[in-house]
Amino acid sequence: MKIDFSNEYKLLGLNIAYYRKLRGYTQLEFAELLDIDRSHLSGMEIGKNAPSLDLVFKICKTLKITEKELFDFR
């Protein structure tokens, strides 16, 4: 049985975009801080790309939020 997490990836992406915008970063600025391509960040924010666990930690550190906050889906 295959489990589909596409909804969770979309919710995670919405949170990444929310906190990025809250901190005043453009996608390009934030991608540069994370040392990733802007298109990869864009893909994460729409739920198309899944971040690695290392990248999740880097996102949280850069945005100054906890992992719990990032994964607190509203």
Side-chain angles (χ1 to χ4, degrees):
M1 178 170 113
K2 182 180 177 193
I3 300 174
D4 180 21
F5 293 107
S6 60
N7 189 54
E8 286 82 358
Y9 286 129
K10 287 177 186 174
L11 293 171
L12 177 60
L14 288 172
N15 277 358
I16 292 170
Y18 170 79
Y19 285 110
R20 171 183 61 78
K21 292 173 186 176
L22 187 66
R23 300 293 186 258
Y25 295 121
T26 66
Q27 279 189 340
L28 183 58
E29 291 169 334
F30 193 51
E32 287 174 351
L33 290 172
L34 297 175
D35 197 28
I36 62 172
D37 192 81
R38 190 207 56 81
S39 63
H40 184 60
L41 176 60
S42 176
M44 286 190 299
E45 289 187 351
I46 63 172
K48 181 181 173 189
N49 298 340
S52 68
L53 194 51
D54 287 346
L55 188 52
V56 166
F57 293 140
K58 194 170 188 179
I59 288 168
C60 292
K61 185 173 184 140
T62 304
L63 294 173
K64 296 180 173 71
I65 60 173
T66 65
E67 292 79 9
K68 181 181 181 319
E69 288 172 300
L70 187 63
F71 284 93
D72 186 14
F73 303 147
R74 300 174 243 310

